[in-house]
Amino acid sequence: MAHQGNAEHYQALVDMGSNGIRFSISDLSPPTARVMPTIYQDRCGISLYDAQYKSGEKVPIAHSIIQEVLSALLQFKRTCEDFHVRQDRVRVVATEATRNAVNSEDFRQQIQTATGWTVEMLAKEEEGRIGALGVASSFDNIKGLVMDLGGGSIQITWMDSESGQVKISPKGSVSFPYGAAALMRRLGEVGIQGHDSLREEMSVNFERALQDLDIPDSLSKAADAEGGWTLYLSGGGFRGWGYILMSLHPVSPYPIPIINGFRVPESAFLPNLEQHPDPEDTFRISSRRASQVPAIAFLIKALTHSIASISNIHFAQGGIREGLLFSSLPQEVRSQHPLVTATRPWAPPSTASLIRMLGSSISSQRHDPPDPPSALTSPEMLTSVVHLLYAHASLPKDVRAAAALRSTTTGLLGSAHGLSHIDRSILALVLCERWGGDVSPTDDQYLMKMQELAGPQAAWWAKYVGRIAAGVGDIFPAGVVRPGDEGMLKIEAGWAGVEGKPGKAASAIDLKISIGIEGMEGTLEDWLDRMTKVGKRKNWIGGRDGWGINVITHAMTG
């Protein structure tokens, strides 16, 4: 069934890139505009870059290629009409390949004549700025270097983005003609004997670019403190490399098949540059993208040679399309946290009260090292857990836990833009446990891989919080906390010492719960029993020798 949103807020975009033409319709309706929900998307695999080269010589875009482009655009125009997209909310944007075409003006005129749409040409600097905003939309905050690799060029800039306030170099970005397709052609022209001089040329250009971008001292100091620069990579070439690294990840098979928010340390990024994937065996790697891998590896080597040190690499889905959408949003919308925004449509009536109850189950006392990770205890994560507390209640009991487990990848949040993989994994584990955590054998391996990705400490804490959420959900099954009822449920959590392995003391969570609502005695007893069991060694992540914390429970009185 077609999306049933408000067509007044639909925005249609055509992104005419070097490697393909992308069509999309997004719903920028409140309250989910921050994550820019996509209601339609398609891609036409016409390479406008390749179309301009024949036997090594640059030629005009052929009549047959132009006709293919026009056919695709007219089909999209019909699609926009079917979705009731207003004509003034359709944009056609072109980048390097169209900008530099021999017959660019004639090509764009034919498009306007056939469709009535004017092609907007992005200048080099503007292309880099818009692409950087697309990357900014892909995360809740960014501090580091941003690079967008297309077919014809690569753009480089720095970014400091937090709460929707995006700062990039006042010079915009620096662009070089080292896109994946362009570099493939260049490597073929110079031959193996010319590789060293080309690499030296690229390294010198990259070093000069980093100097010219006037990187703030605050970012440089942050990079030093982190042990190196954080890189945020976007564009088809880099995303393809990300999927290759995903296929080589220690957590295998990798459980989140979404490139946005995927992260690897430098130690996993550079040593795998010699990998040559088989497109039939590697997820999301086409034959064309596989053929570009040597050029992309060549680029990365030259690039990393120019950067003093690298700590982590984040991959982003955001590009020109996302940047154009993000730039159109008001500041108060851009400042919203993507995780909270994406889950808001399912928020229960008494969200604020339920968040306070959930948060009270985690001790405010610092206790190193068993403290839960900040990714789990952040206000944004706890809010999102409450938002989805009842989202799977209507499903058969047999599949609630499994549906909740997969909700962050192929379920409710599969299309949510801007979520990190650690957030997706932790939220999935909490919600799975909220519904009992009992999954069928077909989902059991997936559960273990999500736990492995989150890490044993975060995975155990997710079970603990999930069982707290289950108890809260049982007491308030409609998500409604009546006036005066919030004080009827009291949860207190602290730390206690217990006897551990011979000769060693151990820590335990001291959990106290009381319910002042008549008829809830049995519910409280069952809840306390479940909380005690989550601390038993046999229920730890990895079994008795794995990771977990004892839980001591008490029924409070008075």
Side-chain angles (χ1 to χ4, degrees):
M1 180 181 292
H3 183 84
Q4 300 297 315
N6 185 351
E8 283 296 307
H9 296 282
Y10 288 177
Q11 177 68 61
L13 276 174
V14 181
D15 174 10
M16 298 177 60
S18 297
N19 269 336
I21 302 174
R22 296 164 183 82
F23 307 91
S24 67
I25 301 174
S26 302
D27 183 1
L28 301 184
S29 303
T32 57
R34 167 60 181 86
V35 293
M36 306 178 299
T38 302
I39 62 173
Y40 173 83
Q41 60 182 326
D42 196 11
R43 181 181 184 276
C44 177
I46 297 174
S47 172
L48 293 175
Y49 182 88
D50 289 349
Q52 297 178 57
Y53 288 91
K54 187 174 183 180
S55 302
E57 297 294 324
K58 189 165 186 176
V59 298
I61 301 174
H63 174 75
S64 59
I65 298 296
I66 293 176
Q67 291 306 306
E68 284 187 55
V69 173
L70 294 180
S71 295
L73 287 168
L74 288 170
Q75 181 178 345
F76 182 59
K77 185 172 185 177
R78 289 191 293 271
T79 300
C80 289
E81 292 169 353
D82 291 342
F83 277 96
H84 306 293
V85 180
R86 286 172 17 197
Q87 282 300 299
D88 63 342
R89 293 185 66 83
V90 179
R91 296 182 68 180
V92 182
V93 178
T95 55
E96 173 123 354
T98 302
R99 184 172 62 237
N100 295 334
V102 174
N103 56 340
S104 175
E105 186 175 348
D106 174 64
F107 178 38
R108 289 181 279 126
Q109 183 58 55
Q110 289 194 52
I111 291 175
Q112 184 169 24
T113 300
T115 65
W117 295 336
T118 300
V119 179
E120 302 176 41
M121 294 296 302
L122 292 183
K124 274 186 181 182
E125 296 74 15
E126 182 68 359
E127 181 179 346
R129 187 186 74 83
I130 294 296
L133 287 173
V135 176
S137 77
S138 304
F139 303 91
D140 63 306
N141 60 73
I142 287 177
K143 289 184 184 295
L145 302 178
V146 174
M147 304 177 188
D148 187 349
L149 178 63
S153 62
I154 180 173
Q155 284 81 35
I156 305 173
T157 190
W158 58 262
M159 182 178 292
D160 187 348
S161 172
E162 189 170 4
S163 298
Q165 296 280 4
V166 181
K167 299 177 184 176
I168 62 173
S169 171
K171 298 180 180 179
S173 67
V174 179
S175 178
F176 295 107
Y178 302 141
L183 191 54
M184 276 183 65
R185 183 177 62 84
R186 185 84 182 275
L187 287 168
E189 289 174 351
V190 302
I192 295 177
Q193 65 274 16
H195 282 194
D196 288 343
S197 59
L198 176 58
R199 186 181 294 108
E200 179 64 21
E201 170 201 315
M202 294 169 68
S203 296
V204 169
N205 283 336
F206 291 147
E207 288 175 7
R208 186 179 298 121
L210 293 174
Q211 294 172 359
D212 293 344
L213 285 171
D214 295 330
I215 298 174
D217 288 341
S218 59
L219 281 186
S220 298
K221 290 177 181 177
D224 290 340
E226 293 292 326
W229 285 97
T230 298
L231 306 185
Y232 296 87
L233 307 183
S234 185
F238 281 142
R239 285 194 293 270
W241 187 253
Y243 280 114
I244 293 172
L245 295 178
M246 194 180 285
S247 71
L248 300 171
H249 199 276
V251 180
S252 181
Y254 193 81
I256 302 179
I258 300 169
I259 195 62
N260 194 84
F262 177 59
R263 180 187 69 87
V264 295
E266 182 274 344
S267 58
F269 185 63
L270 299 180
N272 290 306
L273 287 177
E274 303 305 322
Q275 295 292 330
H276 298 286
D278 182 342
E280 294 186 1
D281 296 333
T282 307
F283 178 66
R284 296 288 290 154
I285 298 295
S286 64
S287 297
R288 174 179 172 78
R289 189 63 70 198
S291 70
Q292 295 176 344
V293 165
I296 296 169
F298 189 90
L299 170 74
I300 291 172
K301 288 178 182 178
L303 189 60
T304 54
H305 185 267
S306 310
I307 303 173
S309 58
I310 298 171
S311 58
N312 290 290
I313 298 90
H314 296 257
F315 291 88
Q317 181 64 45
I320 295 297
R321 168 187 171 271
E322 290 78 10
L324 289 168
L325 294 173
F326 195 62
S327 65
S328 71
L329 299 176
Q331 169 59 30
E332 63 268 20
V333 173
R334 293 207 307 255
S335 67
Q336 297 170 1
H337 194 285
L339 187 61
V340 174
T341 301
T343 56
R344 186 173 288 122
W346 295 275
S350 301
T351 291
S353 295
L354 296 170
I355 291 172
R356 285 192 289 271
M357 294 175 190
L358 196 62
S360 65
S361 69
I362 301 171
S363 174
S364 59
Q365 300 172 349
R366 298 297 302 163
H367 196 277
D368 192 50
D371 267 342
S374 58
L376 177 59
T377 59
S378 70
E380 293 81 14
M381 178 59 70
L382 294 180
T383 299
S384 299
V385 170
V386 170
H387 280 173
L388 296 180
L389 199 59
Y390 307 94
H392 301 93
S394 64
L395 297 178
K397 189 175 182 179
D398 318 62
V399 298
R400 288 176 188 165
L405 177 65
R406 294 185 181 270
S407 64
T408 63
T409 51
T410 56
L412 301 176
L413 303 183
S415 63
H417 181 65
L419 310 188
S420 71
H421 283 204
I422 191 64
D423 281 347
R424 288 184 188 272
S425 62
I426 288 176
L427 182 57
L429 293 171
V430 172
L431 294 174
C432 178
E433 197 65 33
R434 180 266 184 269
W435 293 110
D438 186 21
V439 298
S440 70
T442 57
D443 294 298
D444 193 51
Q445 184 189 35
Y446 183 79
L447 172 59
M448 289 189 291
K449 293 303 175 183
M450 287 294 257
Q451 291 175 338
E452 193 176 345
L453 180 61
Q457 184 172 343
W460 184 88
W461 276 105
K463 290 182 71 171
Y464 172 84
V465 172
R467 293 196 183 192
I468 291 290
V472 172
D474 288 343
I475 296 166
F476 303 103
V480 175
V481 181
R482 299 179 186 181
D485 275 2
E486 184 171 349
M488 304 300 283
L489 173 61
K490 296 180 180 178
I491 305 173
E492 295 180 6
W495 291 101
V498 295
E499 184 178 347
K501 292 183 178 180
K504 292 186 178 180
S507 297
I509 297 172
D510 190 27
L511 180 65
K512 301 173 183 178
I513 304 176
S514 71
I515 305 176
I517 303 173
E518 188 176 352
M520 288 287 181
E521 296 80 8
T523 299
L524 176 58
E525 185 178 342
D526 290 343
W527 190 8
L528 292 173
D529 182 57
R530 293 199 303 271
M531 296 311 303
T532 300
K533 287 179 178 177
V534 79
K536 298 295 184 183
R537 282 184 170 273
K538 65 178 182 180
N539 294 319
W540 285 10
I541 304 300
R544 294 182 179 278
D545 295 323
W547 203 99
I549 305 174
N550 291 323
V551 179
I552 303 171
T553 59
H554 311 271
M556 287 192 293
T557 58

